[in-house]
Amino acid sequence: MAAPKYFIDAHVHLMTPYRIRGGIKWIRRMVKEYEQLDLDISPGELLEQMKQAGADYFFNYFYPLQPGESREINRWQRELADRYTEIIPFASLHPGDEYKERIIDEALDGLKLKGFKFHPYIQNFDILDRRMLKIYEILQARGCPVNIHTGFARFYGKGSLTGDFLALLRNYPKMQIIAAHLLYDDLPYEEWPGIMEQYPNLYLDTTNTFFFCSPGSRDIDGVQRIIEKYSKRMLFGSDYPMGMAYPVRLLYEQVARVCPNQDTLEDVAWRTAAGLAGLDLT
């Protein structure tokens, strides 16, 4: 297949130097090749590495670990995106934050961030935490993309998010939800088609799943069946600088190996992400 017309890495983590350093230390425990990546690398240097590997645009996710950090992080996101126009910045907040509705208004209206990102495992909350329910109501009404981490429960040493995530879909069927990591290893691929049919506002973020789906692997057939039918609601991300392989080029190259044809490659590599971000690349 030919290279896609564009390439959007729709799941990266460009953060403050302190958080980048902590993230690289964390991933080094699982992917030793990250020993080659300087702990003191800057967000701009990481961005340049991804651009050299072939990416044109990036969905950037940076979420608070403690209550009270959200507004500062969201403002930092805006400043970074103003400096690097290839970045499409997403907001976040913490369930323990006060004035959650004010944070949402500031992020979407004042800072013009694209949507929201939540990571139940790392932010240490249940998907159906009562403190989150009003947030979901507001974001559903807003119609912005909402990326929620799912999957890799054993990797995090946690219980599966599958039941709560499916309940979230039932409770907020109009919310534009992006399921990061496809509930990898917690939900069989065969179950996704039925879920996708039931929830037309659901998108699948394939971050860190294609790494395990090389041609000839046990998962390749199931993944390709999903891609063939739902590529227009699927997007690719690397999780860089905390992905499942280093350098990031290895993750980018996997997309063409997994997508079954040129049209689905164009969808997963950029068209779906561009549509969610409102980017006119046609």
Side-chain angles (χ1 to χ4, degrees), residues 86-135:
E86 305 94 336
I87 292 175
I88 299 160
F90 277 65
S92 189
L93 55 75
H94 193 280
D97 282 332
E98 297 182 348
Y99 311 115
K100 297 181 185 66
E101 189 165 359
R102 187 181 302 174
I103 293 171
I104 293 172
D105 289 345
E106 180 181 65
L108 297 179
D109 299 330
L111 300 175
K112 305 299 183 185
L113 304 185
K114 185 54 61 178
F116 272 76
K117 163 69 177 181
F118 300 107
H119 199 309
Y121 286 151
I122 293 183
Q123 292 185 282
N124 196 29
F125 69 90
D126 295 331
I127 287 179
L128 299 179
D129 188 311
R130 60 178 178 79
R131 299 171 297 173
M132 293 293 295
L133 304 186
K134 183 62 175 178
I135 295 170

Side-chain angles (χ1 to χ4, degrees), residues 24 29 38 43 45 77 82 91 98 127 148 163 168 174 182 201 215 225 228 267 273:
I24 297 172
R29 296 178 300 164
D38 187 352
E45 290 170 322
Q77 280 274 60
D82 288 343
E98 297 182 348
I127 287 179
I148 299 179
L168 180 73
K174 295 182 180 179
L182 285 78
N201 292 313
R225 281 194 291 270
E228 285 173 345
D267 286 341

